[in-house]
């Protein structure tokens, strides 16, 4: 059986990059796989979070999953902290992960920055918890962005180390599903940086909660260069902002980059930005409206999460029990 696990942190605002790069792909996968989509709140606290904001963001990510088309009945949607197996397996797997492996993680180096002694143990252990998320369900496939590939390789290494230590084939080695470069959405202010929830400038991203005017204005002000649009993909070389905006248009319209470049060959940015804004609004406004509708009833969102936690626990509990059994933990 093929099972998918993936997750998004409930931090900051969900944006176009989360939609085009992650959630939209998950919607397609739910037809062919058993899917578990998590809101990874335990991961969120590896960076400082305000309690009220964390609660709100947890509901908001849940609403976004559903508004984008993930079916909470066919799939399992829950927040990580409601299934204690994540923390338990996270601890356990940490005992099979040599420091040498963790020291290679580039995301830790980036997030910890120069003041490494001030970074929390949780930030360091982040990839081990991520491995636990996946392995707790014996997930076989994990759709992630390019930036999470290294963490997924670590999850495979940890799964292999555990299996090898006990001479078992307990954990399947999870396969990454990396989606095309066209869905790598970059900042509107700097075409070389990923569109990110943690970037301080609101102008750098289109949030799923932005209204039509805000979306249009952000696109109008997006950074460009002084040249008209090229007539070939090769002409995008060294023009990261042009490539990003054309790539977003291609993703929104489900066209290839080649087709979009041909469509706007020689056009001024102002013309193209008008078309892009219209398209972004057309795609996002039904999602925004549905998110707002769902967010107006937090009780209903919580009920979905409760239901999801129950389904997740039903898989997690016996798997964790088997891990403990294998290790030799007595269950008196
Ligand atoms: N680290 C992932 C991210 O920031 C989120 C995440 C946590 C995740 N656990 C996961 C993704 C398990 C896939 C599978 O994008």
């Amino acid at each position: 059986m093929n099972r998918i696990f993936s997750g998004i942190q409930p931090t900051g605002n969900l944006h176009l990059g989360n939609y085009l790069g992650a959630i939209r792909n998950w919607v397609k996968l739910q037809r062919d796989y058993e899917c578990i989509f998590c809101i990874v709140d335990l991961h969120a606290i590896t960076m400082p979070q305000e309690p009220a904001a964390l609660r709100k963001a947890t509901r908001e990510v849940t609403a976004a999953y559903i508004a984008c088309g993930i079916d909470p009945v066919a799939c399992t949607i829950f927040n990580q902290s409601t299934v204690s197996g994540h923390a338990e397996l996270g601890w356990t797997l940490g005992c099979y992960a040599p420091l040498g492996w963790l020291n290679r993680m580039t995301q830790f180096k980036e997030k910890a920055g120069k003041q490494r002694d001030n970074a929390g143990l949780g930030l360091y252990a982040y990839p081990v918890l991520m491995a636990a998320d996946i392995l707790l369900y014996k997930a076989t496939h994990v759709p992630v962005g390019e930036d999470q590939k290294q963490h997924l390789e670590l999850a495979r290494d940890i799964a292999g180390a555990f299996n090898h230590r006990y001479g078992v084939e307990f954990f399947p080695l999870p396969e990454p599903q990396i989606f095309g470069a066209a869905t790598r959405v970059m900042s509107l202010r700097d075409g070389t940086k990923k569109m990110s929830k943690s970037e301080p400038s609101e102008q750098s991203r289109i949030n799923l909660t932005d209204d039509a005017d805000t979306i249009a204005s952000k696109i109008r002000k997006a950074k460009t260069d002084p040249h008209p649009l090229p007539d070939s993909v090769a002409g995008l070389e060294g023009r990261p902002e042009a490539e990003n905006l054309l790539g977003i248009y291609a993703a929104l319209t489900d066209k290839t980059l080649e087709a979009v470049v041909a469509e706007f060959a020689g056009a001024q940015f102002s013309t193209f930005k008008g078309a892009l804004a219209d398209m972004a609004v057309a795609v996002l406004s039904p999602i925004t409206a549905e998110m707002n509708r769902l967010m107006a009833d937090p009780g209903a969102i919580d009920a979905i999460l409760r239901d999801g936690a129950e389904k997740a626990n039903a898989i997690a509990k016996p798997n964790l029990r088997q891990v403990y059994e294998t290790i030799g933990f007595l269950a008196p």
Side-chain angles (χ1 to χ4, degrees):
M1 178 210 27
N2 286 324
R3 180 179 282 157
I4 277 182
F5 185 99
S6 200
I8 292 181
Q9 294 190 46
T11 52
N13 285 316
L14 280 171
H15 53 71
L16 187 63
N18 299 121
Y19 176 65
L20 294 176
I23 307 176
R24 185 176 73 142
N25 302 312
W26 301 357
V27 173
K28 296 177 191 154
L29 293 168
Q30 65 184 338
R31 274 179 276 141
D32 304 323
Y33 296 83
E34 180 194 344
C35 290
I36 303 172
F37 296 123
C38 192
I39 297 102
V40 288
D41 49 10
L42 297 174
H43 277 105
I45 62 163
T46 57
M47 290 302 208
Q49 306 298 335
E50 283 305 320
L54 182 58
R55 264 188 293 274
K56 176 163 183 260
T58 301
R59 292 194 178 112
E60 197 167 285
V61 176
T62 309
Y65 284 178
I66 297 165
C68 292
I70 291 171
D71 175 357
V73 176
C75 305
T76 297
I77 299 177
F78 73 107
N79 57 316
Q80 195 182 21
S81 61
T82 58
V83 175
S84 60
H86 291 259
E88 293 168 275
L89 188 62
W91 167 261
T92 305
L93 293 181
C95 300
Y96 303 84
L99 292 189
W101 293 0
L102 290 171
N103 288 337
R104 285 204 287 273
M105 297 296 114
T106 55
Q107 185 174 293
F108 173 75
K109 290 180 201 168
E110 275 163 31
K111 287 200 180 175
K114 292 202 169 55
Q115 305 232 296
R116 197 159 308 177
D117 280 359
N118 292 337
L121 174 60
L123 190 65
Y124 189 65
Y126 180 116
V128 178
L129 179 61
M130 180 163 159
D133 295 342
I134 299 162
L135 300 177
L136 184 58
Y137 302 94
K138 298 189 180 188
T140 54
H141 295 78
V142 184
V144 280
E146 192 66 41
D147 63 320
Q148 295 298 311
K149 221 175 140 186
Q150 193 185 35
H151 288 164
L152 207 70
E153 274 155 22
L154 182 82
R156 291 168 62 92
D157 288 344
I158 293 176
F162 183 93
N163 288 347
H164 184 256
R165 164 64 184 83
Y166 296 102
V168 293
E169 297 275 334
F170 185 72
F171 292 124
L173 303 190
E175 292 287 340
Q177 292 173 309
I178 312 278
F179 289 92
T183 50
R184 197 168 149 78
V185 178
M186 312 304 278
S187 161
L188 299 180
R189 313 221 63 173
D190 178 351
T192 64
K193 286 208 315 218
K194 205 176 132 173
M195 187 177 283
S196 159
K197 295 192 267 197
S198 49
E199 161 71 44
S201 166
E202 275 293 327
Q203 292 296 328
S204 71
R205 69 183 152 259
I206 294 172
N207 298 313
L208 294 188
T209 48
D210 284 345
D211 60 25
D213 289 346
T214 310
I215 292 174
S217 141
K218 284 180 177 176
I219 290 176
R220 221 180 309 113
K221 291 186 193 144
K223 185 176 169 198
T224 54
D225 57 48
H227 309 291
L229 290 168
D231 57 11
S232 72
V233 172
L236 289 170
E237 184 71 41
R239 301 180 66 187
E241 284 79 21
E243 181 172 5
N244 183 40
L245 295 179
L246 287 162
I248 292 174
Y249 189 90
L252 286 169
T253 52
D254 261 322
K255 289 180 183 164
T256 62
L257 186 59
E258 285 75 11
V260 174
V261 168
E263 192 176 334
F264 292 98
Q268 297 299 323
F269 268 108
S270 53
T271 313
F272 168 63
K273 279 177 163 181
L276 177 60
D278 289 348
M279 196 52 72
V281 168
V283 171
L284 293 182
S285 59
I287 295 174
T288 307
E290 180 62 4
M291 270 179 78
N292 289 338
R293 192 187 69 77
L294 291 163
M295 289 292 284
D297 187 355
I301 294 181
D302 293 359
I304 289 166
L305 291 173
R306 260 199 309 278
D307 192 51
E310 208 170 294
K311 289 195 275 181
N313 258 311
I315 305 170
K317 283 227 161 88
N319 282 347
L320 186 67
R321 190 57 244 156
Q322 245 181 299
V323 170
Y324 281 5
E325 208 67 58
T326 305
I327 293 171
F329 288 159
L330 185 68

